[in-house]
Amino acid sequence: MSKSRSFNMMFNSFFDSRSANVISDSYFLKNYIISDYQLLLRKINFLNELDRLNKKSISKLFNESTKQRTSKYVASLPWNEKKLKGMNCYIKDILGYDYYTSPDDKKFNYESVDDFYVWGEDQRYDEFSNKRLSEKYGSRLIRLEYGFISSKDIALKDSPQHSLIMCPEVMYYDATKVSDMERCLNDDSLVFNEEEITRAKKCISDIVTKGITKYNHAPKISLHDRFELSNKKKILLVDQRYGDKSIEMGLADQSSFERMYSEALKYTDCDIFIKLHPDALTGGKDSALSKVIPKDVPPNVFIIDFDINPYSLLKEIDTVFVCVSQFGFEALLAGKEVHTFGVSFYSHWGVTIDHVNFKRRELKRTIEEIFFVFYIVYSSYYLPKIGRCSVEDVISYFSMDGSMNNNVENSKKNELMVSDNVSNKPVKILIVLPSGRFGASGRYIQELSWYMQKNNAEIMILAEGNEIKTYSGITWLNLEFEGIRLSKKIVEKVNDFSPDFIFENGVRSRAQRAALELVLLTGAKLALQSEDDDIQVYNERHPNPSSECISVLDKEELSASDLACFIKSNDWNYTLSVLADPNYDRWVEPVLRSICYQMSVFNTAIWYPFERRLKDEYAKPTFVLPPVTDGDKLAKLSLSKQEKDIFLKQYKLSSEKIIFFLGGTIYDYSEEYFLFIKALNFLSDISSEKIQFITVSGRSNINVAKVTKDMLNNEIEYLDMGSPNDDDYLNMLLACDIVCSPGIPDRFNQYRLPSRLVKAMFLSKAVLTSKCGFGESLKHGYNGIIIDGNQPYDWAISINECLNRKSINSIGTNGLFFAKEHFDVKKVAKELVYKFQSLR
């Protein structure tokens, strides 16, 4: 046998002769393979390429030489069944065992386990840890990590992950030990054939051209959109999470980033860009480079503190400096010069300029060879309706933005990716909307519905608001009852419409009882949109609230004791009163609420914290549905200076002073508004800017004007607009400087996203909000003014840091980019329709 062998030759030789020498020489096979054909096919992504194997020799090997195994293949995962959801929902499909257990099941017979898995560098060694159990029973320990091309959004947002890297014993990024991958690349007998290199080159070209990366959420924008670029050579410094374990395992530390920065500053004839890690953008967290760069950077240093697709960024970059980040390998794929200041999986193979001595890697390897080992051999992929698949399938999937609709080119592979439940027939959705004033929450529902209809949906809206109309082709009905049942007129119209889904918005009792009645009458499926925290509203509004009653049924599986607790703790007189009279109380009724959440097949939520809560509690399909709008239209609106002055003059206001606009409902069950007034008083004392404060009190339950005038410092000019018409409200949004939605860290603010902020961001207005909830997605001073805690003076300090025209304008500009990424009605409507179609 020749010393040089391709992967193809290795596998064929193993199957033909079961040569012990081949097995021992192939580190991948030696450490990972087992002598069983079925499990082999399930577990090794390389063997998805069955056309490259001698199937007859495989069949002969296992039919003649091996006793067929009849027992099931068992894996012990680091999580129990309840946690294999959300981001981890495809893990079992990727691994492909017959049965799964976890260390939680202390009664399980672990002698039957074939493989024990741990996540990343988990070193737990208690009695019932997979690491300990693998040693006890002499079975393999395999470490898992999400793959290099993995999902549409980041795992922390619970986006389903489509790939895994499987590392026998040692993680691929742990340079303190020799990993299986390193042994593989360090073996000079391993030669890649022309077919393998050609395949790698094609994949790399597609990845770079289409901008496919690990988490495919970042916008594909150009640096030209954010910076005035010179003709100088450009160096990019890549940040990492401060204290990340991979830095230490890459034989680096914080001083490595200091050295990286110092080395870059030597290039005085270059522009230096520093891409901050997302943890440095969300506020309250540190990253490695954020601790290194000074407050005042040299004029040739520019900070990239916004999300951007790696390959969009690399189009403008010449050289990349990294420690051990995956970004460095993506830069290599894009043909860039890469300097490393740690030991990464791709460094020290001759393709990087390495600033750290590391002599263990003796061979020179090409980018294509490294890619083939890490992206193809040691990575496994999964897509719905295809199953385990190749890296090419996943590249194609994310190239289509994961939409998988029937408008994609008619390739056979793409047809397989379309859900069986998705058809060309329009999906019919009846939206049941509490308090559906057409000019308020109804406006975003109307825009969403119009764009959903453009994406193969038919929409009808049933709202509490008193307007009955057909607007832009969408029928609005007024929610009417005759006794305890819906009016016959409503029932007839809905029956004629024949909805596939009843999409109920919020938790108010009138809307919920209407939704449940229509589900029973039409046979439609129920879906729910959650906007406000119902539990806090229940505690404030219910005459006899019970913390046990409102939450005991918020789970996927209900027990008899759960039902007994609910029955015992519920106020049944209140429930009967609500059921007997639709007008008795429109707030939160626990029985209707629980029935709706348990019956729903699809939950949407106004922002990510609420989505995660619903997913954890009910384990049903979820979707983030913020108060979207047509940003293209809003972004074009503006007032000239003359128009602005004329509008403000009628209210005796001045454009020379900073205008704070609080244009939403002020709730009487929270102290946040009163704290905000105190904060404005402190602000007027410490700031050199003159302040004007505007409120819209129309739907508030307190006398906003009186309370504000009694508490507000006389130096602050104040105006309450009452209930302005749409034009005046919009003009005030255009004329003001800061749009406010103050809040304290409580459940209510954790789970809400005021629609006024969405509109304001599309209008390039600076927004002020609480760090709790939505505010955690923004960065203070960059794309928002973020207040934290419940101390008015601290709020004033935070606001004052941004209270100058330059900062306000910059925050508004960056907020517009955030809004375009997250709140564009066209994008959200398309994705939402697909979700409904797939569940029909």
Side-chain angles (χ1 to χ4, degrees):
M1 185 191 305
S2 170
K3 182 180 180 182
S4 297
R5 302 183 304 278
S6 70
F7 273 105
N8 188 24
M9 292 171 63
M10 279 187 174
F11 276 102
N12 281 321
S13 180
F14 168 67
F15 288 127
D16 287 339
S17 64
R18 305 196 67 174
S19 164
N21 291 330
V22 175
I23 297 173
S24 63
D25 286 345
S26 169
Y27 297 101
F28 180 57
L29 295 175
K30 171 186 173 183
N31 289 304
Y32 195 56
I33 210 165
I34 71 168
S35 297
D36 189 283
Y37 174 50
Q38 294 301 322
L39 187 56
L40 186 68
L41 292 182
R42 286 191 179 100
K43 293 180 55 181
I44 303 177
N45 187 62
F46 188 82
L47 293 184
N48 281 323
E49 309 299 312
L50 287 177
D51 58 313
R52 301 173 59 196
L53 299 177
N54 185 334
K55 299 182 181 67
K56 291 184 179 180
S57 63
I58 296 175
S59 176
K60 180 179 179 181
L61 169 65
F62 288 101
N63 287 338
E64 298 178 4
S65 305
T66 307
K67 181 179 179 180
Q68 290 291 328
R69 174 170 176 163
T70 57
S71 60
K72 292 183 176 181
Y73 295 104
V74 182
S76 179
L77 299 180
W79 324 272
N80 59 32
E81 188 72 25
K82 290 185 177 180
K83 294 184 178 180
L84 289 170
K85 296 165 184 173
M87 70 183 83
N88 292 328
C89 65
Y90 297 139
I91 280 185
K92 293 196 298 183
D93 299 297
I94 295 173
L95 296 177
Y97 290 79
D98 296 304
Y99 186 83
Y100 296 89
T101 185
S102 72
D104 292 349
D105 187 355
K106 295 180 172 56
K107 296 181 180 179
F108 190 81
N109 177 16
Y110 289 97
E111 287 183 291
S112 63
V113 171
D114 295 282
D115 296 305
F116 290 87
Y117 286 88
V118 294
W119 188 258
E121 274 299 313
D122 187 354
Q123 298 294 336
R124 281 177 292 180
Y125 200 67
D126 53 352
E127 181 180 1
F128 280 94
S129 66
N130 276 339
K131 193 170 188 293
R132 179 78 170 271
L133 290 168
S134 72
E135 292 182 2
K136 181 177 179 180
Y137 295 104
S139 297
R140 254 188 321 271
L141 180 74
I142 301 172
R143 298 187 180 277
L144 295 175
E145 183 62 77
Y146 295 133
F148 299 107
I149 302 173
S150 197
S151 64
K152 183 177 180 181
D153 211 333
I154 61 174
L156 289 176
K157 291 184 178 179
D158 232 9
S159 185
Q161 304 298 301
H162 294 270
S163 71
L164 289 174
I165 303 169
M166 290 174 275
C167 308
E169 300 294 343
V170 178
M171 280 304 299
Y172 71 92
Y173 51 73
D174 186 0
T176 66
K177 309 181 188 75
V178 181
S179 70
D180 214 49
M181 297 83 154
E182 185 177 332
R183 287 192 185 96
C184 193
L185 288 169
N186 237 355
D187 187 344
D188 61 0
S189 70
L190 175 60
V191 176
F192 294 80
N193 63 29
E194 183 179 351
E195 180 186 351
E196 291 158 350
I197 297 301
T198 299
R199 181 184 179 195
K201 285 182 177 179
K202 178 64 168 61
C203 288
I204 291 170
S205 175
D206 287 345
I207 286 170
V208 175
T209 302
K210 297 169 183 176
I212 307 301
T213 183
K214 183 166 186 172
Y215 304 130
N216 294 278
H217 67 291
K220 295 176 181 178
I221 58 177
S222 170
L223 277 187
H224 287 280
D225 296 334
R226 311 303 288 272
F227 300 103
E228 292 184 9
L229 300 180
S230 71
N231 293 323
K232 294 180 181 179
K233 183 178 179 181
K234 296 169 182 61
I235 299 173
L236 175 69
L237 275 60
V238 181
D239 199 6
Q240 288 183 249
R241 185 186 298 114
Y242 178 72
D244 193 296
K245 191 72 174 173
S246 67
I247 297 173
E248 178 186 338
M249 291 181 172
L251 305 181
D253 53 27
Q254 185 62 20
S255 67
S256 305
F257 292 90
E258 295 169 3
R259 183 183 175 192
M260 181 196 302
Y261 181 68
S262 298
E263 188 71 22
L265 290 182
K266 295 178 183 178
Y267 293 81
T268 55
D269 59 340
C270 296
D271 285 337
I272 300 167
F273 291 83
I274 299 176
K275 184 183 186 300
L276 290 182
H277 191 273
D279 282 357
L281 306 182
T282 56
K285 297 181 181 181
D286 290 321
S287 68
L289 281 175
S290 67
K291 285 181 164 291
V292 172
I293 56 177
K295 185 175 182 180
D296 296 317
V297 297
N300 69 324
V301 175
F302 304 89
I303 309 300
I304 301 174
D305 52 4
F306 51 87
D307 254 347
I308 180 172
N309 178 274
Y311 296 103
S312 297
L313 172 57
L314 286 167
K315 287 179 181 179
E316 309 296 338
I317 299 298
D318 300 290
T319 302
V320 175
F321 284 18
V322 297
C323 190
V324 293
S325 170
Q326 177 188 331
F327 194 105
F329 190 61
E330 292 178 322
L332 288 174
L333 300 183
K336 305 301 176 180
E337 179 182 280
V338 176
H339 293 242
T340 66
F341 292 80
V343 180
S344 59
F345 70 89
Y346 53 85
S347 71
H348 298 83
W349 297 111
V351 295
T352 52
I353 299 172
D354 303 310
H355 295 257
V356 175
N357 291 325
F358 187 71
K359 299 181 179 179
R360 201 168 67 208
R361 295 174 184 174
E362 302 168 351
L363 295 184
K364 299 295 184 184
R365 288 293 187 183
T366 67
I367 294 170
E368 291 80 12
E369 289 172 335
I370 299 170
F371 177 91
F372 198 93
V373 167
F374 284 93
Y375 280 68
I376 295 178
V377 177
Y378 282 88
S379 294
S380 290
Y381 304 92
Y382 175 87
L383 290 174
K385 296 301 172 184
I386 287 184
R388 285 173 58 85
C389 60
S390 68
V391 65
E392 289 89 345
D393 292 321
V394 173
I395 293 170
S396 176
Y397 176 79
F398 287 117
S399 298
M400 297 185 296
D401 196 29
S403 59
M404 300 187 300
N405 59 45
N406 284 327
N407 295 323
V408 180
E409 294 178 1
N410 294 322
S411 70
K412 188 173 183 179
K413 203 172 279 186
N414 289 339
E415 289 175 4
L416 286 172
M417 295 170 69
V418 181
S419 170
D420 289 341
N421 291 326
V422 178
S423 69
N424 289 323
K425 181 182 177 182
V427 60
K428 292 187 175 184
I429 303 169
L430 173 73
I431 299 176
V432 182
L433 189 64
S435 187
R437 293 185 304 116
F438 183 75
S441 58
R443 178 62 56 82
Y444 103 79
I445 293 296
Q446 172 67 32
E447 283 192 305
L448 177 68
S449 300
W450 191 74
Y451 279 101
M452 288 175 74
Q453 289 206 149
K454 294 182 70 173
N455 285 279
N456 207 27
E458 292 182 14
I459 308 293
M460 177 182 283
I461 299 174
L462 179 61
E464 275 191 312
N466 57 11
E467 297 191 55
I468 302 176
K469 61 170 66 183
T470 297
Y471 187 85
S472 296
I474 298 169
T475 300
W476 284 66
L477 303 176
N478 185 23
L479 182 58
E480 295 178 353
F481 288 88
E482 294 174 354
I484 65 172
R485 303 289 297 275
L486 284 170
S487 70
K488 292 180 180 178
K489 177 177 66 176
I490 294 294
V491 171
E492 288 175 359
K493 288 183 178 292
V494 172
N495 274 327
D496 289 342
F497 180 64
S498 187
D500 298 302
F501 289 92
I502 307 295
F503 189 24
E504 197 269 322
N505 184 297
V507 292
R508 304 298 183 257
S509 62
R510 278 169 55 87
Q512 287 186 337
R513 67 187 296 152
L516 290 172
E517 181 177 346
L518 291 172
V519 165
L520 293 173
L521 288 173
T522 65
K525 296 178 180 178
L526 179 66
L528 299 179
Q529 160 74 345
S530 296
E531 291 190 352
D532 298 325
D533 178 52
D534 47 313
I535 292 180
Q536 182 161 341
V537 175
Y538 164 81
N539 287 330
E540 296 292 339
R541 297 295 188 188
H542 197 282
N544 185 26
S546 164
S547 58
E548 286 185 327
C549 175
I550 196 64
S551 61
V552 69
L553 301 184
D554 293 351
K555 57 186 66 174
E556 179 183 7
E557 298 178 2
L558 302 178
S559 66
S561 60
D562 294 329
L563 294 170
C565 179
F566 181 82
I567 292 170
K568 181 179 179 181
S569 57
N570 185 45
D571 182 344
W572 289 100
N573 287 327
Y574 172 80
T575 295
L576 292 173
S577 297
V578 169
L579 296 178
D581 181 4
N583 298 312
Y584 180 79
D585 190 343
R586 63 178 294 271
W587 295 99
V588 180
E589 196 292 304
V591 174
L592 290 171
R593 172 189 179 275
S594 296
I595 292 173
C596 283
Y597 272 123
Q598 290 296 330
M599 283 186 64
S600 71
V601 298
F602 179 38
N603 291 326
T604 64
I606 200 162
W607 198 241
Y608 290 97
F610 216 150
E611 184 217 21
R612 289 193 291 269
R613 168 184 155 190
L614 294 174
K615 190 173 292 185
D616 289 343
E617 289 176 348
Y618 301 104
K620 295 177 181 178
T622 60
F623 183 84
V624 174
L625 176 56
V628 291
T629 190
D630 190 338
D632 292 337
K633 291 181 180 178
L634 284 176
K636 295 175 183 177
L637 299 178
S638 64
L639 293 176
S640 67
K641 186 178 186 309
Q642 183 179 9
E643 291 171 331
K644 180 177 177 180
D645 288 340
I646 293 173
F647 172 73
L648 292 175
K649 188 176 180 180
Q650 65 178 311
Y651 291 109
K652 298 181 180 179
L653 300 171
S654 170
S655 60
E656 302 302 317
K657 301 175 183 179
I658 304 295
I659 300 176
F660 289 80
F661 181 38
L662 203 167
T665 303
I666 296 169
Y667 297 95
D668 58 342
Y669 50 79
S670 174
E671 62 176 343
E672 60 195 28
Y673 180 69
F674 309 102
L675 296 177
F676 186 58
I677 296 175
K678 293 178 182 179
L680 291 178
N681 288 338
F682 283 127
L683 184 63
S684 69
D685 293 335
I686 64 177
S687 175
S688 59
E689 298 283 352
K690 297 298 182 181
I691 299 171
Q692 299 167 115
F693 180 45
I694 318 298
T695 58
V696 172
S697 63
R699 299 182 64 230
S700 304
N701 291 322
I702 62 174
N703 190 331
V704 175
K706 183 178 186 308
V707 167
T708 308
K709 289 176 181 177
D710 288 344
M711 293 183 62
L712 199 63
N713 189 321
N714 289 330
E715 294 183 4
I716 301 175
E717 295 182 36
Y718 171 66
L719 167 72
D720 177 53
M721 296 181 72
S723 299
N725 60 43
D726 285 356
D727 289 340
D728 284 346
Y729 185 93
L730 179 59
N731 282 332
M732 185 58 76
L733 270 178
L734 291 168
C736 74
D737 299 294
I738 301 171
V739 177
C740 307
S741 180
I744 57 177
D746 59 7
R747 289 183 62 97
F748 181 72
N749 287 294
Q750 177 69 23
Y751 297 119
R752 71 189 297 241
L753 197 175
S755 59
R756 79 192 84 145
L757 298 184
V758 171
K759 295 176 182 176
M761 294 174 86
F762 271 119
L763 293 170
S764 296
K765 295 296 175 181
V767 298
L768 182 155
T769 191
S770 166
K771 183 178 180 180
C772 177
F774 170 65
E776 292 179 324
S777 302
L778 304 178
K779 180 189 175 186
H780 176 60
Y782 173 68
N783 53 14
I785 301 172
I786 311 302
I787 55 178
D788 193 12
N790 56 7
Q791 297 301 315
Y793 187 74
D794 292 340
W795 290 8
I797 295 295
S798 295
I799 298 169
N800 193 47
E801 292 172 352
C802 308
L803 207 63
N804 59 78
R805 294 290 178 183
K806 182 178 179 181
S807 293
I808 290 171
N809 291 337
S810 176
I811 290 169
T813 299
N814 294 325
L816 173 60
F817 280 97
F818 187 93
K820 287 180 177 179
E821 180 182 355
H822 296 283
F823 306 136
D824 177 26
V825 67
K826 295 183 286 295
K827 175 183 175 183
V828 173
K830 180 179 180 180
E831 294 176 349
L832 183 58
V833 170
Y834 173 76
K835 291 288 186 180
F836 274 113
Q837 288 173 330
S838 67
L839 292 167
R840 183 164 49 183

